[in-house]
């Protein structure tokens, strides 16, 4: 008897991706799990997982009856026990169809953004696997505050078959013009706080840290501070320019010299991202007006002088580790 072990592997990947991504259309799931076969196979696979009580769907009548998939409580319980989803926590409304319908616009845009990086890596022979896109990773700032990027991206440059290459990481914020430019640009200040945040270890005082300084919390997870990528949608050219101007203005208000020196902050329209791919020079640099680069660009133009230092800081702990290679 022939045992088709790979079928179970694809079922597992399907459930893991749906759990981690929150929401995805049939077409998006096809891109992730089986782009080399006919989409009917993906439809049958999702229908089978639904019959087994692992996934559920809603239908969007205004979008040509597009089907949007998500895990059930049972599916989330099974997926959470797998090592590839170590640290993943399902939301309290993970299997609620009403909650899925209300957040579907933003969630599907985040998923589509992640798939752009996955497709680009496949095309370039580099490594960005489906589970290297991790939505909503909690980074504590202390005092009950947190930074939660729309997604944390892991991407390894270089040949997928070789030992070389560099691991790159990025915080990704997807904006659909549902908030004003000022609220959008305020996120840069939150990431500056994350860069500075140094929690006081239990049992130690601030004074004791003078002799033995504590490390910033993000260094417990990342070799270098991840890049900060803004993907902008839902507005025309004038609105896009206004939002980028607000982001640049926020950068000029930064007070932490280390963050200004170390952070790479870029913005792109979703249209340019999807049409050209993330590795194309379509990203606008916040440090250099008029400059367009790839998100992987390693050159750092001179930063403007920092303003006088201001308030305190913020923390980060994300989720699963993705290798030990140096970050680009």
């Amino acid at each position: 008897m022939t045992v088709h072990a790979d079928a179970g592997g694809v079922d597992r990947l399907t459930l893991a991706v749906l759990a981690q991504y929150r929401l995805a259309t049939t077409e998006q799931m096809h891109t992730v799990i089986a782009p080399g076969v006919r989409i009917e196979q993906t439809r049958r696979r999702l229908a089978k997982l639904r019959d087994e009580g692992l996934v559920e769907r809603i239908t969007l009548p205004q979008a040509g009856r597009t089907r949007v998939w998500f895990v059930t409580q049972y599916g989330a319980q099974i997926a959470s026990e797998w090592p590839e989803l170590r640290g993943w926590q399902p939301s309290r409304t993970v299997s609620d169809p009403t909650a899925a319908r209300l957040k579907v616009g933003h969630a599907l845009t985040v998923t589509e953004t992640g798939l752009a990086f996955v497709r680009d890596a496949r095309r370039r022979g580099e490594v960005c696997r489906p589970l290297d896109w991790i939505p909503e990773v909690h980074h504590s700032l202390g005092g009950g505050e947190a930074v939660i990027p729309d997604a944390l991206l892991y991407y390894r440059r270089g040949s997928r078959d070789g030992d070389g290459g560099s691991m790159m990481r990025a915080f990704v914020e997807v904006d659909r013009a549902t908030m004003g430019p000022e609220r959008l640009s305020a996120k840069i200040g939150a990431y500056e706080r994350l860069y500075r945040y140094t929690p006081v270890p239990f049992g130690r005082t601030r004074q004791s840290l003078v002799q033995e300084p504590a490390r910033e919390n993000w260094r417990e997870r990342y070799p270098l501070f991840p890049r900060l990528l803004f993907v902008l949608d839902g507005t025309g050219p004038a609105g896009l320019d206004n939002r980028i101007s607000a982001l640049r203005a926020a950068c000029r208000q930064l007070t932490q010299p280390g963050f200004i020196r170390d952070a790479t902050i870029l913005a792109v329209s979703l249209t340019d991202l999807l049409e050209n791919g993330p590795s194309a020079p379509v990203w606008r640099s916040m440090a250099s007006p008029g400059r367009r680069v790839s998100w992987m660009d390693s050159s750092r133009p001179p930063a403007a002088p920092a303003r006088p230092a201001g308030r305190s800081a913020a923390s980060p702990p994300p989720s699963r580790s993705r290798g030990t290679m140096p970050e680009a």
Side-chain angles (χ1 to χ4, degrees):
M1 180 180 68
T2 302
V3 178
H4 297 287
D6 186 56
V10 179
D11 285 352
R12 177 170 174 145
L13 175 62
T14 302
L15 186 60
V17 167
L18 264 184
Q20 185 159 286
Y21 285 24
R22 274 49 171 192
L23 295 171
T25 66
T26 304
E27 291 73 17
Q28 288 173 333
M29 290 303 300
H30 183 65
T31 297
V32 172
I33 64 174
V37 303
R38 297 178 64 185
I39 195 171
E40 285 75 12
Q41 293 189 30
T42 299
R43 293 192 178 106
R44 287 196 295 268
R45 187 178 304 280
L46 289 166
K48 177 171 71 74
L49 294 177
R50 186 183 185 220
D51 290 342
E52 294 170 343
L54 296 169
V55 305
E56 194 46 85
R57 73 186 187 208
I58 58 173
T59 302
L60 305 180
Q62 73 277 20
R65 299 192 61 79
T66 296
R67 289 176 173 175
V68 178
W69 298 86
F70 53 94
V71 296
T72 63
Q73 203 72 46
Y74 176 49
Q77 179 183 347
I78 290 178
S80 66
E81 298 174 356
W82 295 340
E84 59 264 41
L85 292 185
R86 185 174 65 251
W88 174 75
Q89 294 291 331
S91 70
R92 284 174 290 184
T93 58
V94 63
S95 59
D96 186 333
T98 300
R101 178 177 58 82
L102 292 175
K103 63 184 179 183
V104 69
H106 182 77
L108 292 183
T109 305
V110 172
T111 296
E112 192 62 29
T113 301
L115 295 186
F117 287 92
V118 173
R119 286 191 294 261
D120 207 38
R122 289 172 178 169
R123 180 182 62 82
R124 293 167 56 87
E126 298 180 327
V127 180
C128 182
R129 298 183 177 91
L131 295 179
D132 289 335
W133 177 261
I134 312 174
E136 299 180 11
V137 177
H138 185 277
H139 296 70
S140 172
L141 297 178
E145 296 184 88
V147 168
I148 306 176
D150 285 322
L152 171 64
L153 168 69
Y154 290 87
Y155 187 107
R156 197 186 77 190
R157 299 191 68 177
S159 172
R160 64 167 63 95
D161 300 320
D163 296 329
S166 57
M167 180 64 77
M168 304 185 69
R169 302 164 183 83
F171 298 126
V172 183
E173 293 285 350
V174 177
D175 172 63
R176 300 176 60 241
T178 55
M179 63 177 70
E182 293 77 15
R183 284 186 60 199
L184 171 66
S185 61
K187 293 186 176 185
I188 291 180
Y191 282 99
E192 183 190 28
R193 293 179 61 204
L194 179 61
Y195 180 87
R196 291 186 285 145
Y197 176 58
T198 305
V200 178
F202 180 75
R204 296 180 64 187
T205 65
R206 292 280 182 187
Q207 186 174 4
S208 70
L209 298 178
V210 174
Q211 291 79 24
E212 189 180 346
R215 286 158 54 91
E216 295 90 347
N217 204 22
W218 64 265
R219 296 186 189 276
E220 300 299 321
R221 178 66 63 175
Y222 309 116
L224 297 174
F225 195 77
R227 292 160 189 250
L228 178 52
L229 308 179
F230 288 90
V231 179
L232 309 178
D233 190 30
T235 185
L240 179 68
D241 288 341
N242 287 339
R243 302 179 93 71
I244 290 177
S245 295
L247 290 171
R248 287 195 173 122
C251 289
R252 291 193 293 269
Q253 299 299 314
L254 296 174
T255 62
Q256 171 57 264
F259 183 73
I260 297 170
R261 180 187 65 246
D262 295 340
T264 296
I265 306 175
L266 306 171
V268 68
S269 73
L270 180 64
T271 299
D272 283 343
L273 179 76
L274 297 181
E275 288 183 355
N276 300 282
S279 60
V282 293
W283 298 82
R284 302 194 198 187
S285 169
M286 297 301 99
S288 181
R291 187 167 178 256
R292 299 209 180 201
V293 298
S294 165
W295 81 274
M296 295 183 281
D297 183 67
S298 58
S299 62
R300 296 181 183 273
R307 291 166 58 87
R311 46 180 194 268
S312 75
S315 110
S319 92
R320 287 95 62 199
S321 62
R322 286 292 190 278
T324 57
M325 305 177 72
E327 180 183 331

